[in-house]
Amino acid sequence: MTKSGNQMALALLAHVTGAHPSSWMASARTTNPSNDVDYFADMAALAEAGRFDLFFLADTPAARTENLDAWSRYPMYMNILEPVTLLTALAGRTRHIGLGGTASTSFHEPYNLARLFGSLDHISKGRAAWNVVTSSNDYAARNFGLHAMPPHARRYDRAREFVDVVKALWDTYDDDAIVFDRENGVYFDPARFHPLDHDGEFIKLHGALNLARSPQGRPVIIQAGSSEAGKELAAETAEVVFTSHETLAAAQAFYRDLKGRMAKFGRTPDQLKILAGLSPTVAESKAAAEARHQALQDMIHPTVGYQRIGMDLEADLSDLDPDQPIPLDRIPKSANLSTVYFEQIVRLIRDERLTPRQLWQRYERGNAPARGTATEIADRMEEWFTQGACDGFMLTFPVLPAGLADFVAEVVPALQGRGLLRREYEGETLRDHLGLNRPASRYAAPAVRPAGVAR
Ligand SMILES: Cc1cc2nc3c(=O)[nH]c(=O)nc-3n(C[C@H](O)[C@H](O)[C@H](O)COP(=O)(O)O)c2cc1C
């Protein structure tokens, strides 16, 4: 563990051409980069030059199959490389930066997942991270024999059990179990090998992972759920949490709430790093940054606008006049998909009585904007970091790689000059970068618990 407590963590959420729906039309790339490993390698190298802790790929295991007029104009997740495959390729093209990706507890078996991320941790020499999601996408459900996602609470019940089983599998071998003793002809010590007998509500597994314990002991566990169930799971198991808040006060309240939940699971607040979502646009003035944003907003096609707000509101508003206020009775009672996005969009409709067009122009899907000069953006980051709102930032950029390049050229030196960001990597692993301890194996703990029991 090497990171000093007064330095912030930075993660890049590497949506292919950026987080803005129009990014693919605004990017400098005139041909499709989605399937080009060199494109991602260049982007990871840029983040590494900016001394980021983590390069992160979001994912959902599905292309959309309906409303294709909208999705063909806004191709989010319509054509993306499988994250662990891509991250494994990037492991060979980077030296320091952590490599994280999303994989769903609803659509994997724990064994496959433990093996994939365990292998990535070996191949990257200790830089792997798994973003635990329960998935909130019925398109994905239909790829796996379901017609819709199971209810929110059931998904989280499975996720809790799933994470525990994955962690147990990663501990199959003790750190020193592979003795490679050629003199006596013993490759591993059977006494330091721990098969798992797990008979749970969702998962049955009687076996053992065929992979040595990895450099980080276990890959870093990330989560991004903001519901009650999501926060409880994070307090119990997550080491990094991505969150998204529009105000300092809301971020501070979330920070206190989540860290305050950890003690009951026997954890201390420093075992979890909360990264606030931020979407910077750096320009020579605030007005120039706003103008750049507005140019992107103006490119949103109405079909895409209705699609975008309908998806997160979980209600189709496309029959409404784009320029009349949205009737409040069109707001569903609660969310089954994403609580955090749902609440943001409902607040905009309720409090500001927006029209559909105003809503799709205003709604930023959890990407708290920071538009202005490098100094203004660094000020904002410093304020949030030093005022107990976060341990660092999960950065999205409206347009990639241009937004990242501006940030690395201008905001990174400002943060380094203030002593808020490392100038050089000091440790080797992602845990080192983040200041997280390497976890002991559950079988090495003083009181050995039976396999499969939550800890
Ligand atoms: C920064 C960020 C990244 C996320 N990445 C993914 C992702 O890659 N795949 C996914 O299915 N959900 C992703 N989510 C959604 C959350 O993981 C979570 O499943 C969703 O918010 C619903 O859970 P909740 O109701 O507990 O908030 C992300 C959320 C945030 C804020």
Side-chain angles (χ1 to χ4, degrees), residues 1 49 78 146 153 159 170 172 177 221 224 293 297 312-314 327 364 375 377:
M1 196 168 83
M78 290 303 287
L146 304 169
W170 282 332
T172 296
I221 292 193
H293 171 68
Q297 295 294 86
D312 290 336
L313 187 64
E314 301 180 37
E364 306 213 27
T375 304
I377 291 169

Side-chain angles (χ1 to χ4, degrees), residues 112-145:
N112 301 130
L113 194 137
R115 203 171 182 207
L116 282 168
F117 281 91
S119 297
L120 177 62
D121 204 42
H122 279 287
I123 292 167
S124 64
K125 303 197 189 306
R127 295 185 283 137
W130 166 37
N131 180 31
V132 179
V133 301
T134 60
S135 293
S136 52
N137 178 328
D138 288 342
Y139 294 101
R142 293 196 284 267
N143 283 339
F144 295 85

Side-chain angles (χ1 to χ4, degrees), residues 376-440:
E376 286 168 336
I377 291 169
D379 287 348
R380 160 92 179 263
M381 293 174 77
E382 178 169 4
E383 184 189 21
W384 279 45
F385 178 62
T386 56
Q387 300 298 310
C390 63
D391 300 306
F393 296 89
M394 200 281 306
L395 299 172
T396 59
F397 292 94
V399 181
L400 285 170
L404 173 64
D406 292 343
F407 183 89
V408 170
E410 298 184 41
V411 182
V412 163
L415 295 172
Q416 288 170 329
R418 300 177 191 197
L420 293 169
L421 180 67
R422 67 174 69 80
R423 290 182 186 276
E424 297 298 335
Y425 291 100
E426 286 162 25
E428 298 293 319
T429 68
L430 175 58
R431 287 184 182 280
D432 292 337
H433 304 339
L434 292 168
L436 291 169
N437 281 320
R438 185 177 188 278

Side-chain angles (χ1 to χ4, degrees), residues 9-84:
L10 292 185
L12 169 68
L13 174 42
H15 288 300
V16 183
T17 51
H20 196 277
S22 310
S23 66
W24 69 276
M25 294 182 283
S27 159
R29 279 284 296 239
T30 54
T31 54
N32 170 34
S34 304
N35 315 109
D36 179 357
V37 67
D38 296 331
Y39 173 81
F40 291 99
D42 288 347
M43 191 138 67
L46 193 52
E48 202 165 62
R51 304 293 181 257
F52 279 47
D53 296 66
L54 178 68
F55 177 93
F56 172 73
L57 296 170
D59 189 51
T60 195
R64 273 75 174 179
T65 53
E66 292 153 356
N67 206 358
L68 291 180
D69 182 32
W71 291 114
S72 66
R73 298 171 186 280
Y74 169 33
M76 185 175 74
Y77 297 132
M78 290 303 287
N79 171 28
I80 56 168
L81 294 170
E82 191 287 310
V84 182

